[in-house]
Each structure stands twice: as C-alpha cells, then as structure tokens.
Amino acid sequence: MIDSTYYEWFRLRTRLVVDLTWCSATKIDDVLAAYDISPESTQPARCNADDVDMCIGRLGNGTVIMDYRVDSVTEGALPILAQYGPCLSAVWTDDAPALISYWTESGLVVKFDRRDWDWYPVPDFASVERWIAAGPAGREIWANRCGLATLITAEALCQAVVDDDWMRSVHIGVTSPHPQVLEMPSGSRSLSSIIEQYGDRAP
C-alpha cells in the first residue's frame, strides 16, 4: 500500500537514483532497445550496486528504470518506450522528485516542476492541472506530497510496487555510462541467456 511510511522506505532505498522511470507494458529488451544499449554493456545486478550506472527490472506489467548517472538520457528514450504503454518519469533530487513527465503513445502529455506547477509547464498549466486532478493520487496529494503522489501514479501504471523482494532481486545492470551497440564476440553472453539464467521477473 502506498502511504507515507512506504514513501520514506522508498526514498531511503533510492537516494542514489538521479532519474526514475516506470514504463507500463514494457519488457527488459524493449528498454535496452530504446536506450540503444548493447547486451555486452549489461550484467546481472541488484539496485544500488556500486558498479552499475543503471538498473532495469520488471515490475508488475511493466518495467522500472533506475538511472544513477548525472547525464541521464532517459528523456530521449521515453517516446520509444511510450509506444508500449504510458510512462512516468521523475528526475529525482535529494529526497523528492523535481521534474515530472508523463508520456503516452501520442507523445508528451505533461511535464512540470513539482515545486511550482506553473513554472514552464508543458504544454500549459491548465493541462497539468487536469492531468493531476484525473490521476489516481488526486490534487491534494500532488500539492502536499509530490513524492507520494508520484509513487501512487507509478503503482497505477505497473499495477505493483517496488518492495524488499524487488530490491533484493537480481535485475539487469548497465555498466557503461554511454553504452554503444557493439558486435558481440564469440562466447559473449546474450541478453536472452542472462534473462534465462536470472529471469526478467515477467509477471
């Protein structure tokens, strides 16, 4: 259940994350393709591992992307990921999300600053207000507890929440800050072999 206690738990376990994204109806290989990440740049990993720049894991009917890099490239991947289903992205600073964006197959729906909704909202303030009012968190929670509202919206997207089991599970870690698509030498592990061995946590 998403409440203040859960939010505090979540914040403590994602304090190193720069960009958090929840994508509905996506699988691990969809995310790697959207980011143009070669399987050679991945390894089995748990979140918050010192040797990974990004952690990608299945959650419910979608995928969670935890990006630890300051030069996050998530925004460029969102239009591709949104073709599979709506995506919620939060640029995370300190203990709360700072910049929220929501994408669907049609493109960017809204983008706004959590501290000041009318500070350069996309496409405009009225659209942000409507989106917030229609969402599962509601206006009051967005106004007073943006981090909590973000997680409530994310749960509605993936129909599941990050919990202790998820944090302890092995996911896909990206080890290169700017991965390039490379021709895999013979003997290298493919993404399918990694998923076969460790699982992609498909529901």
Side-chain angles (χ1 to χ4, degrees), residues 40 184-190 193:
E40 280 193 334
M184 294 180 62
S186 59
S188 294
R189 290 182 304 168
S190 66
S193 68

Side-chain angles (χ1 to χ4, degrees), residues 26-49:
T26 55
K27 302 201 182 307
I28 299 292
D29 53 353
D30 300 329
V31 175
L32 295 181
Y35 279 88
D36 198 22
I37 295 172
S38 165
E40 280 193 334
S41 299
T42 68
Q43 64 183 40
R46 290 180 173 83
C47 293
N48 294 330

Side-chain angles (χ1 to χ4, degrees), residues 28 32 37-47 49 51-57 68 170-176 194:
I28 299 292
L32 295 181
I37 295 172
S38 165
E40 280 193 334
S41 299
T42 68
Q43 64 183 40
R46 290 180 173 83
C47 293
D51 57 347
V52 298
D53 299 296
M54 180 188 291
C55 185
I56 306 166
Y68 304 97
V170 174
H171 304 294
I172 297 298
V174 179
T175 57
S176 172
I194 291 173

Side-chain angles (χ1 to χ4, degrees), residues 7 37 41 45 56 60 63 71 73-74 86 89 93 100 106 110 113 115 124 126 170 176 182 184 188 196 200:
Y7 174 72
I37 295 172
S41 299
I56 306 166
T63 307
D71 56 340
V73 295
T74 295
S89 183
T93 59
I100 308 295
S106 300
V110 291
D113 187 290
R115 296 179 183 89
D124 51 46
V170 174
S176 172
L182 301 173
M184 294 180 62
S188 294
E196 182 179 351
D200 78 345

Side-chain angles (χ1 to χ4, degrees), residues 16-19 52-54 66-75 91-93 177-178:
L16 301 177
V17 178
V18 174
D19 200 316
V52 298
D53 299 296
M54 180 188 291
M66 295 188 177
D67 197 338
Y68 304 97
R69 302 172 295 182
V70 174
D71 56 340
S72 173
V73 295
T74 295
E75 188 165 354
V91 177
W92 216 256
T93 59
H178 296 289

